[in-house]
Amino acid sequence: MKRIESKHDLAINGAVPAFDQPLHVGRPNIGSREAFMQYAEEIFDRRWLSNNGPVVQEFERRVAEYHGVKHCISMCNGTVALEIAIRALGMEGEVIVPSYTFVATAHALSWQGITPVFADIDPVTHNLDPEAVRRMITPRTTGIIGVHLWGQAAPVEALQQIADEHGLKLMFDAAHAFGCSRNGRMIGNFGACEVLSFHATKFFNTFEGGAILTNDDDLAEKMRLMRNFGFSGLDNVVHMGTNGKMIEVAAAMGLVNLDAIDSVIAANKRNHEAYRAGLAGLHGISLRTFDEAERNNYQYVVMEVGPDCLKTRDRIIEALHAENILARKYFWPGCHNMKPYRELYPLAGLLLPNTQQVADRVMVLPTGTTMSKEMVETVASVIRTIVAG
Ligand code: T4K
């Protein structure tokens, strides 16, 4: 690996890039290929490819067990899972969400004619600020969707209290929070239900996929119907529904990745520690830490570029991309600044100062099983050189 010691070693100054292949944020973690191929063979032999097959059932059982929750209803992706959960809870009118999230959180509402109302975040945790949520409640509000951003739980107790006081539904977008806990209790056990994403780029993937976790038997039953066109038995449609089913081969990927999960967590944790050591003391730069008292998946390495840093976030990103280090500006510029929502709320920015500030400062760095400790150390030394140069 190339050594980066002075600004003359940087690709933006004409040197060869630090890496000859791009380093992506979101390179998939993949468990045993042999085990996956074995599942695939069995799936072909059975000729049962979708519709609640045996692999999907086994997958749901193990994901529910892993999170200590009664029901796991698997889905074709996290976005459809959000849409189904929202509809099953009977949300309508206005629903309060953070703007600082992946756009799917907001889209899952507006796709169904529900207005996402953006509340500001806590600038330290990056999660919804309960007081900001209170300020956004109107007579049309029917629910709140908290997001466990970066895998760190939203303030679930405070949000539950607000929901109870105002008779609102509460659910969580737990797309980042597979395997994480809050006060020792696993994600999946908060609000009415919680939605996971198993997209290729996630800590835990099923190629594409998602799931809803809940302890509510009736809700689980309803959501199972809704993901399969409302069919109860062969010819009997008893509910409105869509096609949200997970396929067998996706569930097989999930099972092999579940078997590998401890090694993925270990790799992410090792990388996070290497980033922390590599960036320690760098003026104007801070790295989000994890609460070691909780279960964490360490999937997102979130670096904040403060106003006292000698370089801007965008300048650092530009220089990193030149080195083939494809850091991302998640979740810039905030949903409220994206075209479908910008026109709806031209003044939303005034209500979301923390969202604006955080979205302008954050970048996410590559990690996962495809990144070695040495690669992380090189990325950190590149960042140090960019910032100083
Ligand atoms: N809620 C939240 C809070 C979410 O973060 C997400 C998804 C959802 C809901 C919705 O869940 P899903 O419906 O997706 O299950 C990515 C993912 O597409 C998205 O799933 C994820 N959040 C979001 C945070 O990141 P992009 O646009 O950055 O993805 P993309 O395709 O550019 O991938 C990132 C990088 O990963 C690429 O540059 C290359 C690498 N990559 C990607 C894929 C797909 C690979 O190396 N291999 C691959 O197979 O949104």
Side-chain angles (χ1 to χ4, degrees):
M1 236 167 294
K2 201 183 125 181
R3 289 178 73 84
I4 309 276
E5 282 159 349
S6 84
K7 66 179 182 182
H8 305 293
D9 299 324
L10 294 176
I12 39 161
N13 295 329
V16 292
F19 295 92
D20 53 9
Q21 296 294 320
L23 303 187
H24 293 282
V25 173
R27 214 70 175 133
N29 299 311
I30 301 174
S32 160
R33 292 181 191 205
E34 295 71 29
F36 176 77
M37 295 306 175
Q38 178 64 34
Y39 276 115
E41 291 287 351
E42 290 166 15
I43 290 167
F44 287 133
D45 290 346
R46 257 193 310 273
R47 289 188 182 267
W48 194 277
L49 307 184
S50 184
N51 292 44
N52 203 29
V55 190
V56 161
Q57 289 179 36
E58 165 76 357
F59 174 71
E60 290 185 344
R61 193 188 58 71
R62 285 195 51 198
V63 172
E65 186 181 84
Y66 192 82
H67 291 89
V69 64
K70 231 167 149 185
H71 303 280
C72 165
I73 303 106
S74 63
M75 300 276 173
C76 55
N77 60 55
T79 305
V80 168
L82 280 171
E83 289 168 6
I84 289 181
I86 288 164
R87 195 174 272 261
L89 287 176
M91 288 182 175
E92 55 186 12
E94 294 177 359
V95 171
I96 298 172
V97 289
S99 165
Y100 192 58
T101 177
F102 188 60
V103 72
T105 320
H107 278 351
L109 290 163
S110 47
W111 192 250
Q112 311 193 73
I114 301 168
T115 306
V117 172
F118 299 118
D120 209 3
I121 53 167
D122 177 322
V124 176
T125 65
H126 298 181
N127 274 323
L128 270 180
D129 169 4
E131 289 314 309
V133 170
R134 280 186 194 280
R135 289 197 291 274
M136 305 313 285
I137 295 174
T138 75
R140 279 172 50 77
T141 309
T142 63
I144 303 168
I145 304 180
V147 178
H148 303 313
L149 207 79
W150 317 130
Q152 178 191 258
V156 293
E157 301 81 7
L159 293 176
Q160 189 65 61
Q161 194 182 333
I162 296 171
D164 293 344
E165 279 170 22
H166 294 267
L168 306 176
K169 309 281 185 192
L170 174 67
M171 58 173 268
F172 292 97
D173 178 338
H176 300 179
F178 190 106
C180 300
S181 69
R182 161 85 173 185
N183 293 334
R185 201 165 170 220
M186 291 298 278
I187 291 303
N189 290 285
F190 299 102
C193 63
E194 308 207 50
V195 172
L196 299 170
S197 163
F198 309 140
H199 181 255
T201 57
K202 289 288 183 287
F203 159 70
F204 171 87
N205 85 86
T206 61
F207 298 104
E208 287 267 6
I212 306 172
L213 303 180
T214 182
N215 288 311
D216 181 329
D217 298 343
D218 294 338
L219 188 63
E221 178 58 26
K222 198 193 226 183
M223 295 188 301
R224 284 188 188 284
L225 287 170
M226 289 173 95
R227 76 162 174 196
N228 187 27
F229 314 102
F231 272 106
S232 168
L234 267 192
D235 305 310
N236 192 20
V237 173
V238 298
H239 208 284
M240 260 277 280
T242 184
N243 184 354
K245 300 187 298 295
M246 176 177 275
I247 58 174
E248 288 287 274
V249 81
M253 181 69 149
L255 286 174
V256 302
N257 285 340
L258 255 184
D259 287 338
I261 208 153
D262 290 343
S263 61
V264 178
I265 294 172
N268 279 350
K269 187 165 191 226
R270 175 205 65 208
N271 289 347
H272 199 265
E273 280 161 5
Y275 272 120
R276 267 173 76 179
L279 297 172
L282 189 52
H283 190 70
I285 297 290
S286 58
L287 205 63
R288 281 190 56 76
T289 53
F290 291 90
D291 179 352
E292 294 299 332
E294 301 287 358
R295 298 263 303 264
N296 300 302
N297 60 33
Y298 302 92
Q299 174 71 358
Y300 289 98
V301 179
V302 180
M303 188 177 108
E304 270 184 72
V305 183
D308 48 343
C309 182
L310 295 173
K311 296 286 181 314
T312 64
R313 186 269 311 265
D314 288 1
R315 180 74 179 134
I316 298 172
I317 293 241
E318 188 192 341
L320 284 173
H321 283 214
E323 306 288 349
N324 260 330
I325 303 164
L326 304 185
R328 297 290 299 262
K329 293 199 261 185
Y330 290 146
F331 288 100
W332 183 84
C335 296
H336 70 287
N337 279 323
M338 293 178 172
K339 189 163 180 291
Y341 302 108
R342 197 167 59 216
E343 288 166 5
L344 273 178
Y345 308 107
L347 300 178
L350 293 175
L351 293 166
L352 305 169
N354 296 336
T355 301
Q356 300 264 104
Q357 187 195 76
V358 171
D360 286 344
R361 290 183 179 177
V362 161
M363 71 168 79
V364 176
L365 299 169
T367 185
T369 49
T370 58
M371 289 284 294
S372 67
K373 184 166 179 263
E374 293 67 34
M375 290 161 85
V376 170
E377 285 165 354
T378 301
V379 174
S381 67
V382 169
I383 293 171
R384 296 192 85 88
T385 312
I386 293 168
V387 168

